[in-house]
């Protein structure tokens, strides 16, 4: 059972707001009478979000049918005569074929992004297809749409420059965790990135073309983009009755920052069902999506053609008596849809190993269907299956990929073998006769596995978020020597433990050069963009996050030591604030049958930066910056950091400039390096050095 943490850090009263401030006035948002005819209206002059003097009826719609809230046209069909659209006040727009045909975001259908399912408007018809953030009320029906969860996810983009501090409210229905019934939670989208100049690394989807009102079309170098932005719910599991969009603008004007919202959805919690049929899910394995092209060992691009992939996943925690498992697939980095004609899951044969299953694989379905199509930028979760998964088992997930795929998105440096069959559906094969081991350097499509945990005393997961130190880029290539595997081993072998893995250990490591926040409007970010949202916050019942990053940022910095260090310090502090603003899925308790918020935001540990290695040496200035960052962590976060630097350094201190020889192989971290990091983590958890031990 969770215990209350940081009782004074974020009082509940601080998140309760009254809508009276907005009731004094609103921007003009009433749709012109001819809007339904198919011809978009001339957009009214944009008004600053700080000006609320005009008054008009607010637009209202349902979260699964936003047609009543649409007030701008941002997509067009490019032919000899481009259909009318004006996303930015200068007559520019998305090319609808890029969005619907190429990326697979179908008009009027749903798309699941970062775990939240959203209903899309109709695109390219010349009618309204997005919501300018102008105070619309989006209601959440009691059926037909997800109305409880742990976060609201917005599909959004800005035109005219990034839109800053767009604030709205989330209204909870009766029996919520706040002090009134119903009650409002204030939220703010710190930054909605610009569709053209915003960072590609944070985009959910990047398109190719931009259409113009003079019937021309260009291909901007960065590509028009759409972003997913999540907002934490302070009452996870409480029913939401509506979401009020920010009162920011009622029109587009060239050069004026304007947020657009294509859709929004509520990300479900990891508790499914209710009463005696409730299942509590926890992540047991994860792999982040960080490349659009999985490579072969010779650096060429891996392809498949109607073949079946068999992917091994070395899990951490096992199933409880509920014996349930489910699988997460991702096309987050893809540019086109992918279809899986069949999928299955099985335990690996512990004797034969490789692609051999221990018994006949269990068929996976998605919303009851044996096949599933995932659009670009999207993800999918399988229906639960009955499968007993022991702790530290290797699970084989088999995916038959439909048709010829010239580039598979996935995880770039997986250090994990992958097998591929002949051109056939081999998902039900137990034997490995039709499979051969590939030379994939990466791991395509598979992004996570959840298992059931105790209903009476559910456990959570520890997510390791970081760069090469977490990913294990130079560890053994057997899929069993990432930092997550090393920590799982250390938990099992802990002399203070009972040989069991008591919580999921999930690897969100990536080969990225930087994982520090790239968009900063405020140092106290209370919402999340990708990759943080997709790689961490969607994981199964995340309770603890260990952040280990910053080395690449220091190695890339050419400024003075203080500037290099300060930038990393600010980035780490911002990451911690973001993650701390989210609550665990099981953060509520009930008193007199009423839900009361348990003060249990996600616990965040920051890791000190280990010494640079011979393979990636730093300058004297960069080394000085590294030591400054580590001293900052010691001074600023007592009881909330793990001293990875001391774990692998020559003299066992955070300021030693060299890694001990036993932890290196050809100048790179070896398996022993990751084992030492894991040992330090478990030792700190055992010794009481951490304010909030993982659970």
């Amino acid at each position: 059972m969770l215990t209350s943490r940081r009782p004074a850090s974020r009082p509940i009263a601080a998140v309760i707001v009254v809508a009276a401030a907005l009731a004094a006035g609103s921007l003009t948002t009433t749709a012109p009478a001819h809007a339904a005819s198919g011809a978009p209206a001339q957009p009214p002059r944009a008004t600053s979000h700080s000006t609320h003097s005009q008054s008009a009826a607010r637009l209202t719609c349902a979260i699964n049918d936003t047609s009543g809230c649409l007030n701008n046209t941002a997509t067009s069909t490019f032919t000899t005569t481009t259909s009318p659209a004006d996303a930015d006040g200068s007559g520019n727009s998305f090319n609808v074929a890029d969005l619907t045909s190429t990326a697979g975001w179908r008009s009027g259908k749903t798309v699941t992004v970062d775990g939240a399912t959203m209903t899309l408007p109709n695109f390219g018809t010349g009618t309204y297809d997005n919501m300018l953030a102008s105070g619309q009320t989006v209601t959440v029906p009691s059926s037909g749409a997800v109305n409880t969860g742990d976060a609201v996810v917005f599909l959004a983009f800005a035109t005219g420059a990034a839109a800053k501090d767009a604030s709205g409210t989330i209204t909870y229905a009766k029996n919520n965790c706040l002090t009134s019934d119903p009650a409002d939670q204030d939220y703010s989208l710190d930054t909605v990135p610009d569709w053209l100049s915003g960072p590609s690394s944070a985009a959910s989807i990047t398109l190719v073309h931009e259409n113009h009102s003079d019937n021309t079309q260009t291909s901007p170098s960065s590509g028009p983009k759409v972003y997913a932005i999540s907002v934490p719910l302070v009452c996870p599991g409480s029913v939401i009755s509506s979401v009020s969009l920010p009162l920011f603008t009622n029109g587009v004007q060239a050069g004026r920052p304007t947020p657009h919202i294509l859709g929004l959805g509520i990300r479900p919690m990891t508790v499914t069902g209710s009463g005696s049929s409730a299942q509590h899910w926890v992540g047991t394995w994860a792999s982040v999506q960080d490349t659009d092209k999985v490579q072969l060992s010779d650096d060429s691009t891996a392809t498949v053609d109607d073949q079946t992939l068999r992917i091994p996943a070395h899990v951490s925690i096992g199933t409880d008596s509920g014996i349930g498992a489910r699988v997460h697939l991702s096309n987050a980095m893809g540019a086109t849809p992918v279809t899986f004609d069949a999928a299955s899951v099985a335990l690996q044969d512990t004797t034969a190993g490789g692609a051999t299953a221990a018994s006949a694989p269990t068929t996976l379905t998605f919303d009851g269907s044996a096949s599933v199509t995932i659009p670009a930028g999207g993800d999918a979760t399988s229906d639960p299956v009955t499968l007993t998964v022991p702790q530290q088992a290797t699970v084989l997930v088999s995916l038959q990929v439909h048709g010829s795929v010239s580039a598979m998105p996935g995880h770039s440096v997986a250090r994990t073998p992958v097998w591929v069959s002949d051109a056939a559906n081999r998902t039900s094969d137990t034997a490995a006769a039709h499979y051969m081991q590939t030379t994939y350097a990466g791991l395509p499509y598979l992004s996570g596995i959840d298992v059931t945990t105790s209903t009476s005393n559910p456990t959570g997961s520890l997510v390791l978020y970081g760069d090469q130190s977490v990913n294990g880029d130079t560890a053994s290539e057997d899929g069993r020597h990432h930092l997550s595997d090393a920590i799982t081993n250390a938990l099992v072998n802990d002399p203070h433990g009972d040989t069991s893995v008591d919580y999921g250990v999930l690897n969100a490591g990536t080969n990225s050069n930087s994982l520090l926040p790239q968009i900063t409007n405020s140092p106290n970010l209370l919402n999340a963009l990708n990759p943080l949202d997709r790689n961490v916050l969607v994981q199964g019942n995340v309770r603890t996050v260990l952040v280990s990053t910053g080395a690449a940022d220091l190695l890339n910095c050419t400024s003075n030591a203080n500037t290099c260090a300060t930038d990393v310090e600010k980035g780490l502090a911002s990451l911690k604030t973001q993650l701390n603003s989210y609550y665990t899925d099981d953060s509520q308790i009930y008193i007199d049958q009423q839900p009361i918020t348990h003060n249990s935001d996600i616990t965040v540990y920051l890791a000190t930066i280990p010494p640079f290695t011979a393979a990636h040496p730093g300058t004297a200035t960069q080394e000085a910056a590294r030591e400054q960052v580590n001293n900052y962590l010691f001074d600023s976060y007592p009881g909330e950091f793990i001293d990875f630097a001391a774990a692998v350094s020559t003299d066992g201190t955070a300021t030693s400039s060299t890694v001990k020889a036993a932890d290196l192989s050809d100048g790179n971290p070896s398996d022993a390096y990751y084992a030492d990091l894991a040992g330090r983590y478990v030792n700190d958890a055992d010794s009481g050095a951490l304010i909030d031990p993982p659970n």
Side-chain angles (χ1 to χ4, degrees):
M1 180 174 176
L2 290 174
T3 56
S4 181
R5 299 200 299 262
R6 303 184 188 90
S9 62
R10 253 191 358 266
I12 294 301
V15 299
I16 303 175
V17 298
V18 180
L22 296 179
S26 65
L27 303 181
T28 303
T29 59
T30 304
H34 69 281
S37 68
Q42 178 68 27
R45 182 178 178 83
T47 307
S48 170
H49 66 286
S50 62
T51 303
H52 300 163
S53 59
Q54 303 179 58
S55 61
R58 301 279 180 83
L59 299 179
T60 302
C61 60
I63 198 169
N64 54 354
D65 180 6
T66 59
S67 56
C69 292
L70 305 177
N71 55 0
N72 174 258
T73 308
T75 63
S76 61
T77 302
F78 179 72
T79 59
T80 54
T81 303
T82 301
S83 61
D86 186 5
D88 62 356
S90 298
N92 303 312
S93 55
F94 292 103
N95 181 47
V96 70
D98 291 350
L99 193 62
T100 58
S101 299
T102 303
W105 288 29
R106 298 183 298 161
S107 290
K109 304 299 182 180
T110 60
V111 60
T112 301
V113 177
D114 294 357
T117 299
M118 291 158 271
T119 301
L120 299 171
N122 292 314
F123 298 121
T125 62
T127 55
Y128 292 148
D129 57 21
N130 71 96
M131 296 173 278
L132 300 180
S134 49
Q136 296 97 319
T137 297
V138 181
T139 61
V140 183
S142 58
S143 62
V146 176
N147 60 9
T148 65
D150 58 23
V152 176
V153 180
F154 296 81
L155 278 181
F157 63 94
T159 54
K164 308 285 188 178
D165 192 24
S167 300
T169 56
I170 297 166
T171 300
Y172 295 97
K174 63 181 181 179
N175 296 329
N176 61 77
C177 73
L178 301 179
T179 57
S180 62
D181 192 3
D184 289 340
Q185 171 195 329
D186 188 28
Y187 73 87
S188 180
L189 305 179
D190 178 81
T191 300
V192 181
D194 182 79
W195 66 326
L196 297 177
S197 62
S200 297
S201 60
S204 286
I205 187 171
T206 300
L207 306 178
V208 176
H209 302 101
E210 181 184 5
N211 292 347
H212 311 289
S213 58
D214 61 357
N215 298 327
T216 62
Q217 185 183 76
T218 57
S219 300
S221 58
S222 62
K225 297 173 286 292
V226 177
Y227 296 85
I229 308 172
S230 75
V231 170
L233 294 174
V234 299
C235 292
S238 290
V239 174
I240 295 173
S241 58
S242 66
V243 178
S244 174
L245 299 188
L247 185 59
F248 199 100
T249 185
N250 66 340
V252 290
Q253 182 179 0
R256 180 69 64 87
T258 304
H260 302 246
I261 297 170
L262 289 181
L264 64 159
I266 299 170
R267 182 158 61 217
M269 296 171 60
T270 50
V271 180
T272 60
S274 60
S276 60
S277 62
Q279 289 184 305
H280 293 249
W281 296 92
V282 62
T284 185
W285 179 90
S287 176
V288 305
Q289 307 296 287
D290 59 5
T291 182
D292 59 348
K293 297 177 182 178
V294 168
Q295 302 291 309
L296 302 177
S297 58
D298 63 2
D299 294 330
S300 62
T301 301
T303 64
V304 293
D305 189 357
D306 277 324
Q307 295 163 287
T308 301
L309 303 171
R310 182 157 281 184
I311 302 168
H314 189 226
V315 305
S316 53
I317 195 171
T319 51
D320 70 346
S321 57
I323 56 174
R326 63 184 186 183
V327 169
H328 299 279
L329 305 179
S330 177
N331 193 26
M333 303 300 291
T336 59
V338 60
T339 295
F340 301 105
D341 289 330
S344 69
V345 62
L347 297 179
Q348 184 185 56
D349 187 306
T350 56
T351 301
T356 304
S359 58
T362 301
T363 298
L364 293 173
T365 59
F366 299 82
D367 289 331
S369 175
S371 66
V372 62
T373 298
I374 308 176
D379 49 75
T381 301
S382 75
D383 301 323
V385 297
T386 299
L387 183 70
T388 301
V389 180
Q391 68 178 37
Q392 294 187 291
T394 296
V395 174
L396 300 176
V397 176
S398 302
L399 307 169
Q400 188 197 12
V401 183
H402 178 83
S404 177
V405 177
S406 59
M408 294 183 291
H411 181 44
S412 61
V413 183
R415 313 298 288 180
T416 299
V418 175
W419 296 275
V420 64
S421 77
D422 53 351
N425 176 9
R426 301 295 184 185
T427 58
S428 61
D429 285 15
T430 302
H434 294 288
Y435 285 94
M436 63 175 292
Q437 185 169 337
T438 70
T439 60
Y440 291 1
L443 192 156
Y445 301 123
L446 181 63
S447 60
I449 299 174
D450 295 341
V451 294
T452 50
T453 183
S454 169
T455 300
S456 60
N457 187 26
T459 189
S461 61
L462 162 70
V463 180
L464 310 176
Y465 184 61
D467 45 32
Q468 294 87 340
S469 60
V470 171
N471 192 48
D473 284 11
T474 54
S476 297
E477 297 183 89
D478 57 2
R480 303 168 68 92
H481 285 86
H482 305 93
L483 180 59
S484 51
D485 299 301
I487 288 179
T488 303
N489 288 336
L491 291 173
V492 170
N493 296 317
D494 182 8
H496 302 286
D498 58 1
T499 73
S500 65
V501 181
D502 295 325
Y503 46 86
V505 184
L506 307 181
N507 196 297
T510 176
N511 201 37
S512 170
N513 285 329
S514 176
L515 290 173
L516 299 178
Q518 298 181 5
I519 304 172
T520 54
N521 176 41
S522 164
N524 298 314
L525 300 178
L526 301 179
N527 53 257
L529 283 157
N530 288 323
L532 184 66
D533 192 53
R534 178 175 64 237
N535 292 352
V536 176
L537 296 169
V538 301
Q539 304 292 355
N541 199 19
V542 52
R543 290 187 185 172
T544 308
V545 180
L546 171 54
V547 177
S548 176
T549 190
D553 298 88
L554 294 178
L555 289 172
N556 290 330
C557 186
T558 58
S559 187
N560 60 72
N562 184 65
T563 298
C564 293
T566 300
D567 287 346
V568 171
E569 291 164 11
K570 289 180 178 178
L572 291 172
S574 182
L575 272 176
K576 191 174 190 307
T577 300
Q578 280 181 282
L579 291 166
N580 279 147
S581 70
Y582 286 76
Y583 289 79
T584 66
D585 271 4
D586 47 16
S587 62
Q588 288 192 42
I589 58 173
Y590 285 77
I591 298 177
D592 295 330
Q593 298 183 329
Q594 296 297 312
I596 306 296
T597 291
H598 216 175
N599 190 15
S600 50
D601 47 356
I602 291 175
T603 297
V604 182
Y605 307 139
L606 301 177
T608 55
I609 300 175
F612 304 121
T613 62
H616 299 283
T619 65
T621 298
Q622 292 165 341
E623 171 58 25
R626 184 191 71 86
E627 294 178 22
Q628 180 176 322
V629 171
N630 288 346
N631 286 329
Y632 161 79
L633 294 176
F634 273 90
D635 295 338
S636 302
Y637 300 103
E640 297 181 284
F641 72 89
I642 309 291
D643 198 355
F644 274 1
V648 296
S649 67
T650 302
D651 65 4
T653 69
T655 55
S656 173
S657 62
T658 56
V659 175
K660 55 188 176 184
D663 281 355
L664 295 175
S665 175
D666 296 326
N668 286 304
S670 65
D671 292 348
Y673 180 99
Y674 302 109
D676 279 343
L677 296 183
R680 183 66 188 220
Y681 162 80
V682 172
N683 179 72
D684 285 355
D686 285 346
S687 67
L690 303 177
I691 294 175
D692 299 308
N695 54 10

